[in-house]
């Protein structure tokens, strides 16, 4: 069964120390059999030439970005700092692409570890290498790719976003509406 994935790992983002790009390049050196594509720009761009298995493609957008995300075996997010909710993770999951991220900040809350991606210890090259190697198992990647897509549809779709917003508004406005008190009644001028 072909899920349309190619055998490359993708990093997509700003190329800076705090994003963990140095860690990713070090991990790539230990895995010469694995292709890494690095998309982005920043102060570490010249340092991304780590060897024949690492290809820097610069900043990408539009169809090129979507194609890279859709075909990647996994998106790697090796951040050393506290990421909140990187859009690239949501975009990868929406393409059925497994994510491998540092277990830091909001990243662990963005997907299901072991089902739609893997978490590794922040700054730990060995942990990152082990997670990347797991994505190379064909049977697992097929199931995880399907799981990533399902997760994106259930947690990051417009419908789920709207449902979440409605729940927040109901929680906040519910007591006011059930008491038939309007905002203007609560803030009457003396």
């Amino acid at each position: 069964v072909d899920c349309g994935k190619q055998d490359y790992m993708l990093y997509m983002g700003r190329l800076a120390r705090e994003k963990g790009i140095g860690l990713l390049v070090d991990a790539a050196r230990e895995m010469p059999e694995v292709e890494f594509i690095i998309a982005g720009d920043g102060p570490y761009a010249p340092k991304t030439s780590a060897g024949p298995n690492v290809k820097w493609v610069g900043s990408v957008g539009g169809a090129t970005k979507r194609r890279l995300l859709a075909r990647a075996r996994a998106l790697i997010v090796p951040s050393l700092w506290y990421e909140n909710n990187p859009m690239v993770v949501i975009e990868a999951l929406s393409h059925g692409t497994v994510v491998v991220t540092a277990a830091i900040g909001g990243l662990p809350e963005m997907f299901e570890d072991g089902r739609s991606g893997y978490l590794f210890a922040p700054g730990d090259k060995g942990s990152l290498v082990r997670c990347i190697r797991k994505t190379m198992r064909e049977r697992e990647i097929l199931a995880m790719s399907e799981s990533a897509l399902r997760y994106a549809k259930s947690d990051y779709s417009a419908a789920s976003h709207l449902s979440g917003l409605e729940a927040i508004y109901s929680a906040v406005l519910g007591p006011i509406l059930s008491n038939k008190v309007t905002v203007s009644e609560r803030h009457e001028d003396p």
Side-chain angles (χ1 to χ4, degrees):
V1 177
D2 178 19
C3 65
K5 300 298 178 186
Q6 296 179 3
D7 286 333
Y8 66 85
M9 302 297 143
L10 177 65
Y11 172 89
M12 189 172 280
R14 193 164 51 84
L15 306 181
R17 189 193 75 69
E18 66 273 10
K19 293 292 193 173
I21 192 68
L23 176 69
L24 179 60
V25 168
D26 288 345
R29 285 188 186 114
E30 288 196 16
M31 308 173 74
E33 74 283 5
V34 178
E35 181 183 4
F36 290 82
I37 295 178
I38 297 177
D41 211 349
Y44 272 48
K47 298 176 180 155
T48 59
S49 301
N53 65 325
V54 179
K55 180 180 177 185
W56 177 51
V57 297
S59 293
V60 297
T64 302
K65 178 180 181 181
R66 288 188 298 275
R67 185 176 60 253
L68 284 171
L69 283 166
R71 293 180 181 168
R73 181 161 286 266
L75 173 77
I76 314 297
V77 183
S79 285
L80 302 173
W81 74 338
Y82 295 91
E83 297 284 353
N84 183 16
N85 192 45
M87 190 62 154
V88 72
V89 172
I90 296 169
E91 291 170 320
L93 293 169
S94 297
H95 285 288
T97 299
V98 171
V99 293
V100 175
T101 75
I104 191 167
L107 290 168
E109 300 170 25
M110 294 187 72
F111 64 96
E112 298 170 295
D113 185 30
R115 295 196 60 169
S116 50
Y118 294 109
L119 293 169
F120 68 91
D124 185 334
K125 179 177 63 173
S127 179
L128 172 57
V129 167
R130 283 188 297 279
C131 287
I132 290 171
R133 289 201 190 282
K134 286 180 188 178
T135 69
M136 299 308 288
R137 299 180 193 146
E138 199 62 36
R139 278 195 310 236
E140 286 181 30
I141 200 69
L142 290 171
M144 290 182 80
S145 181
E146 291 172 3
S147 179
L149 190 55
R150 274 194 311 276
Y151 191 80
K153 286 181 179 178
S154 70
D155 281 37
Y156 296 117
S157 68
S160 69
H161 182 71
L162 179 59
S163 176
L165 281 176
E166 287 173 340
I168 292 168
Y169 279 111
S170 292
V172 172
L173 297 176
I176 294 171
L177 296 176
S178 66
N179 291 328
K180 298 186 181 180
V181 176
T182 65
V183 173
S184 60
E185 289 175 8
R186 298 187 117 212
H187 301 292
E188 293 178 7
D189 290 329

